[in-house]
């Protein structure tokens, strides 16, 4: 015979076992539900990111094609037309027009300058040099052009053993550096620029330094970033790189780009 | 953890729980050095409390101490242990739950309970009804927040893998403990000690094992972060 105490004990054991089973069942169901949800959301996030990357890649490809197309147009059409205009101006017989001679000479000089500027611009936009001779030559070419302006002291420094990467990657790196140099020329009021390429074991580290007026951090990160900076960041992300812009007003700026090989 | 004469369950249960809580404590302390997270910081101290409680009971039994200043040892030790346990478990749940209302409840209820418990000692005619009252109250206080955690899991986007999430294991442990101790706490005075002790040790065994599992979880990144470019 069971005593009342034993009977209550057995009842409690049964109740506890039932509750324990019920709790285990509920927790397991929730666990499996959350697991499926997690897999679903992970896949969704992955697809979203792939889609975002594809969009970005297409956008930058279109941008690059547009640049190439403009470069060709400048070289083939505008440059040709200006050359013809210059030739025409040279053939004008100025002995009958003594008063206009000086004006025509000035116009010829202006047209010559325009031809040179456009040729430089076209070469900058064109990626043929980069394709044929690689990143370092293309960058040296850029720095030479800046030197010719006589406004900046520019140095290029290469550390480590240079390594050729695929064209697309080098083109993105080149465009990022080009954008940094453009920003310095247009906005920094700097007179010294240093471009440093470090070929490390696993990555290429690019540093672009200047001694200009610097940038407010709010203009570097967030909604106030310029289109140029945003494009630099997009390009860096697409080649798996990291772009950092460190600057303080009045203390110049340092653009650092790390790109894995 | 209830006082009773020496028996097999108490002896082996005590040894197993002591060893596990000690192991958990060491793991927790090492983990705190490596990767401090608020929730996991509390666990080793709670495990130390369990260890201390078991050792106190063993000591009083071995030394045949049944009363301290005319207060039964069992009543005294549980009157201190249960409010402290409620504070620790509430702190663990506090760091797992997002709901502000539940967080408030987890701050207010254990504090009130810790203050009120010593004053209620004299209202109860015997030890069993006092233990029944505080154990049941503790279970009820913990039941709502731990059940709410599982509700939150279903309503929020899953950014973490649950099996690698310490809060999942700690809350599951607390829920299992409540499931096991609540039924016998309600009828505490009416069931044999052996059954109470077996169920009690079983509840704590599951709780400590799941807390150790929580301590071994590596920190994971939310999917939004890991999938970023």
């Amino acid at each position: 015979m069971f005593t009342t105490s034993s009977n209550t004990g057995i009842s409690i054991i049964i109740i506890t076992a039932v509750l324990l089973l019920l709790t285990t069942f509920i927790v397991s169901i929730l666990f499996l539900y959350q697991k499926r949800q997690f897999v679903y959301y992970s896949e969704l996030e992955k697809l979203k990111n792939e889609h975002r990357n594809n969009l970005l890649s297409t956008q930058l490809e279109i941008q690059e094609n547009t640049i190439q197309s403009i470069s060709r147009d400048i070289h083939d059409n505008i440059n040709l037309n200006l050359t013809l205009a210059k030739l025409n101006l040279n053939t004008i017989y100025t002995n009958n027009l003594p008063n206009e001679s000086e004006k025509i000479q000035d116009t010829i000089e202006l047209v010559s300058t325009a031809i040179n500027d456009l040729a430089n611009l076209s070469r900058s936009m064109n990626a043929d040099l980069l394709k044929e001779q690689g990143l370092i030559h293309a960058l040296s070419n850029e720095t030479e052009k800046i030197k010719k302006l006589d406004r900046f002291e520019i140095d290029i420094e290469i550390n480590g053993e240079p390594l050729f990467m695929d064209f697309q990657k080098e083109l993105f790196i080149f465009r990022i550096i080009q954008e940094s140099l453009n920003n310095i020329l247009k906005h920094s009021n700097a007179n010294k620029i240093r471009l440093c390429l470090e070929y490390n074991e696993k990555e290429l580290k690019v540093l672009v330094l200047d001694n200009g007026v610097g940038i407010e951090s709010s203009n570097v990160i967030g909604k106030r970033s310029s289109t140029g900076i945003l494009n630099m960041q997009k390009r860096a992300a697409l080649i798996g790189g990291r772009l950092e812009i460190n600057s303080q007003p009045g203390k110049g700026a340092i653009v650092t780009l790390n790109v894995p090989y | 953890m209830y006082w009773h004469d020496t028996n097999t369950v108490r002896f082996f249960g005590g040894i197993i729980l002591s060893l596990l809580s000690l192991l958990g404590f060491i793991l927790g302390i090492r983990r705190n050095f490596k990767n401090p997270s608020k929730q996991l910081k509390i666990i080793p101290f709670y495990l130390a409390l369990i260890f201390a409680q078991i050792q106190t009971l063993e000591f009083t039994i071995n030394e045949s101490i049944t009363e301290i200043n005319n207060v039964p040892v069992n009543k005294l030790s549980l009157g201190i242990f249960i409010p402290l346990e409620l504070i620790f478990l509430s702190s663990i749940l506090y760091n797992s739950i997002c709901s502000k209302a539940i967080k408030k409840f987890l701050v207010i209820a254990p504090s009130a309970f810790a203050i009120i418990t010593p004053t209620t000692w004299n209202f109860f005619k015997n030890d069993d009804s006092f233990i029944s009252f505080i154990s049941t109250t503790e279970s009820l206080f913990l039941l709502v927040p731990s059940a709410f955690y599982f509700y939150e899991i279903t309503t929020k986007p899953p950014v973490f893998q649950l099996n690698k999430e310490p809060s999942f294991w700690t809350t599951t442990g607390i829920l299992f403990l409540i499931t096991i101790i609540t039924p016998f706490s309600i009828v505490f005075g009416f069931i044999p000690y052996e059954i109470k002790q077996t169920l009690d040790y079983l509840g704590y065994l599951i709780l400590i094992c799941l807390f150790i599992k929580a301590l071994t979880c590596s920190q994971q990144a939310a999917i939004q972060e890991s999938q970023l470019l």
Side-chain angles (χ1 to χ4, degrees), chain B residues 67-81:
Chain B
E67 282 185 356
I68 297 169
N69 290 337
N70 294 328
V71 181
V73 168
N74 207 10
K75 199 174 183 177
L76 185 69
S77 70
L78 287 174
I80 297 166
F81 174 72

Side-chain angles (χ1 to χ4, degrees), chain B:
Chain B
M1 313 254 158
Y2 306 100
W3 187 93
H4 187 55
D5 294 328
T6 307
N7 59 37
T8 320
V9 172
R10 203 210 83 228
F11 180 71
F12 286 109
I15 290 174
I16 293 168
L17 288 186
S18 298
L19 288 175
L20 279 175
S21 50
L22 203 62
L23 171 75
F25 176 76
I26 295 164
L27 262 175
I29 293 292
R30 282 189 63 182
R31 168 93 196 221
N32 282 349
F33 278 115
K34 279 185 197 168
N35 186 9
S37 102
K38 275 183 189 172
Q39 189 192 32
L40 296 180
K41 262 184 181 175
I42 305 161
I43 294 177
F45 298 103
Y46 173 63
L47 294 175
L49 177 74
I50 292 181
F51 183 79
Q53 170 71 357
I54 296 167
Q55 298 314 310
T56 311
L57 289 177
E58 288 296 325
F59 176 76
T60 51
I61 291 164
N62 291 338
E63 299 294 319
S64 301
I65 303 167
T66 52
E67 282 185 356
I68 297 169
N69 290 337
N70 294 328
V71 181
V73 168
N74 207 10
K75 199 174 183 177
L76 185 69
S77 70
L78 287 174
I80 297 166
F81 174 72
I82 290 183
L84 278 176
E85 180 183 54
L86 182 62
I87 290 169
F88 277 115
L89 295 181
S90 300
S91 317
I92 291 168
L93 284 172
Y94 183 90
N95 291 301
S96 308
I97 288 166
C98 302
S99 161
K100 282 182 183 170
I102 299 288
K103 274 180 184 270
K104 268 185 197 167
F105 173 77
L106 283 168
V107 173
I108 298 164
S111 318
F113 183 70
I115 296 164
I116 292 165
T117 305
T119 61
T120 57
W121 286 14
N122 299 325
F123 287 113
F124 293 92
K125 287 174 188 169
N126 57 47
D127 300 354
D128 285 349
S129 48
F130 170 71
I131 293 166
S132 172
F133 168 72
I134 57 170
S135 294
T136 312
T137 314
E138 184 202 18
S139 301
L140 292 175
F141 276 162
L142 293 172
L143 182 66
V144 178
S146 50
F148 196 83
Y149 171 81
F150 289 98
Y151 167 74
E152 279 188 345
I153 285 178
T154 59
T155 53
K156 293 214 158 109
V159 292
F160 290 114
Q161 275 181 283
L162 214 49
N163 59 328
K164 291 179 184 168
E165 185 58 16
S167 56
F168 170 72
W169 295 111
T170 51
T171 315
T172 306
I174 294 169
L175 196 65
F176 275 128
L177 178 75
I178 297 164
T179 309
I180 295 168
I181 65 167
T182 312
F184 80 79
S185 295
I186 297 167
V187 287
F188 194 80
F190 306 99
I191 54 168
Y193 266 112
E194 288 78 10
I195 292 175
K196 285 186 263 188
Q197 208 157 48
T198 309
L199 289 174
D200 188 42
Y201 279 6
L202 178 71
Y204 280 96
L205 182 71
I206 295 173
L207 178 81
I208 297 172
C209 287
L210 293 178
F211 273 18
I212 290 174
K213 168 68 191 157
L215 287 168
T216 57
C217 287
S218 53
Q219 198 175 32
Q220 50 173 339
I223 50 171
Q224 284 91 333
E225 288 166 21
S226 63
Q227 303 291 333
L228 278 174
L229 275 170

Side-chain angles (χ1 to χ4, degrees), chain A residues 5-6 8-10 12-13 15-16 19-20 23-24 27 30-31 33-34 37-38 41-42 45-46 49 53 237, chain B residues 150 153-154 157-163 168 172 175-176 179-180 183-184 187 190-192 195 199 223 227 229:
Chain A
S5 171
S6 300
T8 318
I10 290 164
I12 287 298
I13 290 175
I15 292 169
T16 308
L19 283 175
L20 206 57
T23 311
T24 312
V27 171
L30 285 171
F31 179 77
Y33 169 76
Q34 201 273 355
Q37 285 263 88
F38 180 80
Y41 272 85
S42 303
E45 276 297 313
K46 209 172 159 186
N49 282 332
N53 273 359
Chain B
F150 289 98
I153 285 178
T154 59
V159 292
F160 290 114
Q161 275 181 283
L162 214 49
N163 59 328
F168 170 72
T172 306
L175 196 65
F176 275 128
T179 309
I180 295 168
F184 80 79
V187 287
F190 306 99
I191 54 168
I195 292 175
L199 289 174
I223 50 171
Q227 303 291 333
L229 275 170

